[in-house]
Amino acid sequence: MKSIIFIAPPAAGKGTQSKMIEEKYHLPHISTGDLLRNAIKGNSPIDLKIKELMESGSLIPDDIVLELLHERLMNDDCKNGYILDGFPRNVSQADAYEAMLENMKLDHGVVIYLDVPKELCKKRILGRKSCPKCGAIYNDLIAGMESKVENVCDKCGSNLTVRSDDNEQTFETRYQAYLDNTLPLLDYYKKHGNLYRVDSTDATKTFKTIVEVLERGISHD
Ligand code: AMP
């Protein structure tokens, strides 16, 4: 199995799809948002600056993200592929990633664009809850995605949490950052010829389509 990159607006379902792919293909799920959240548990000035940027929905400087990602990709579990969730977020990160792949002799893999209307992304953000222990994701505003017991993880029984940046104001900033910085990556990867568009309005159908892309290279463009 090859590595997978997701290009998607905030709350398009990359976290949910990544978890499903991780379970089916046993590929590690690498979320740069999670790498950042784990790296800033202290109170140093840099930790506080990153926290402030994340709370506001702005992008973190490339060098910080690239260093964390590089360190993670050095782990043995990445040798046979991995799922990148939230990276690259702009063309300069994509360029740096190309150089990293070449250095580390890793495969380019496939790029999946999750296409979903802005209003649905907003609903997903405002209803999203996640499990801090196992990473499972739920949504109170989307039928079929609620946890069985309110605020309790179905998988491990932990209490669910709401991310502090999952609010309407931060959503607008994150969506604008997506339009300005991340959307140009579609042209970037179209030129590389490894981009697949997948309609991501329905999580179950989306996963079926992703499996078709991964196993048979079927394009839905
Ligand atoms: P996510 O968990 O992917 O929604 O990301 C949450 C926040 O982490 C974003 O709003 C950014 O502040 C930061 N972040 C995550 N990935 C990146 C990245 N590749 N480049 C810059 N900032 C990032």
Side-chain angles (χ1 to χ4, degrees), residues 38-113:
N38 288 332
I40 52 161
K41 298 238 159 100
N43 276 320
S44 70
I46 180 82
D47 286 4
L48 296 178
K49 183 71 205 160
I50 294 174
K51 267 181 214 161
E52 186 191 314
L53 286 171
M54 287 179 82
E55 294 283 332
S56 72
S58 310
L59 291 184
I60 306 306
D62 290 351
D63 53 341
I64 295 175
V65 180
L66 286 162
E67 195 180 323
L68 287 171
L69 180 66
H70 185 252
E71 202 178 304
R72 179 63 186 89
L73 293 184
M74 302 275 274
N75 284 10
D76 265 2
D77 65 342
C78 294
K79 277 196 182 126
N80 298 320
Y82 46 85
I83 309 151
L84 270 189
D85 162 3
F87 181 94
R89 284 285 229 280
N90 57 37
V91 170
S92 77
Q93 288 185 5
D95 279 337
Y97 181 61
E98 290 296 308
M100 213 188 279
L101 289 179
E102 202 159 318
N103 267 333
M104 298 174 80
K105 311 249 175 299
L106 291 171
D107 191 276
H108 274 80
V110 294
V111 182
I112 295 179
Y113 165 46

Side-chain angles (χ1 to χ4, degrees), residues 17 22-23 41 47 52 57 68 70 95 98 112 135 143 154 162 169 196 198 200 221:
Q17 297 303 325
E22 182 181 34
E23 273 169 31
K41 298 238 159 100
D47 286 4
E52 186 191 314
L68 287 171
H70 185 252
D95 279 337
E98 290 296 308
I112 295 179
D154 293 352
V162 174
Q169 196 190 343
Y196 296 87
V198 171
S200 183
D221 250 342

Side-chain angles (χ1 to χ4, degrees), residues 5 18 22 37 51 194 214:
I5 289 176
S18 298
E22 182 181 34
R37 278 183 282 274
K51 267 181 214 161
N194 56 346
L214 297 179

Side-chain angles (χ1 to χ4, degrees), residues 66-193:
L66 286 162
E67 195 180 323
L68 287 171
L69 180 66
H70 185 252
E71 202 178 304
R72 179 63 186 89
L73 293 184
M74 302 275 274
N75 284 10
D76 265 2
D77 65 342
C78 294
K79 277 196 182 126
N80 298 320
Y82 46 85
I83 309 151
L84 270 189
D85 162 3
F87 181 94
R89 284 285 229 280
N90 57 37
V91 170
S92 77
Q93 288 185 5
D95 279 337
Y97 181 61
E98 290 296 308
M100 213 188 279
L101 289 179
E102 202 159 318
N103 267 333
M104 298 174 80
K105 311 249 175 299
L106 291 171
D107 191 276
H108 274 80
V110 294
V111 182
I112 295 179
Y113 165 46
L114 295 180
D115 194 4
V116 55
K118 180 180 175 185
E119 279 316 303
L120 182 54
C121 293
K122 195 186 243 183
K123 203 164 144 183
R124 285 177 177 169
I125 286 262
L126 299 182
R128 175 157 73 178
K129 285 182 178 162
S130 60
C131 175
K133 199 166 168 211
C134 73
I137 297 163
Y138 302 89
N139 197 303
D140 288 346
L141 298 180
I142 297 175
M145 279 196 71
E146 312 92 337
S147 54
K148 287 188 187 112
V149 178
E150 206 183 340
N151 288 332
V152 176
C153 179
D154 293 352
K155 293 189 179 156
C156 72
S158 302
N159 283 337
L160 301 180
T161 53
V162 174
R163 268 171 51 174
S164 58
D165 58 346
D166 276 353
N167 59 65
E168 197 160 348
Q169 196 190 343
T170 304
F171 169 76
E172 291 298 339
T173 310
R174 285 159 76 191
Y175 198 84
Q176 197 56 44
Y178 164 73
L179 294 181
D180 294 342
N181 303 291
T182 312
L183 213 52
L185 286 172
L186 293 185
D187 274 342
Y188 184 97
Y189 285 115
K190 252 182 216 161
K191 284 182 198 139
H192 281 73

Side-chain angles (χ1 to χ4, degrees), residues 20-36:
M20 290 161 99
I21 298 170
E22 182 181 34
E23 273 169 31
K24 185 171 168 72
Y25 297 107
H26 308 290
L27 291 178
H29 167 204
I30 303 173
S31 147
T32 44
D34 286 346
L35 291 180
L36 285 161

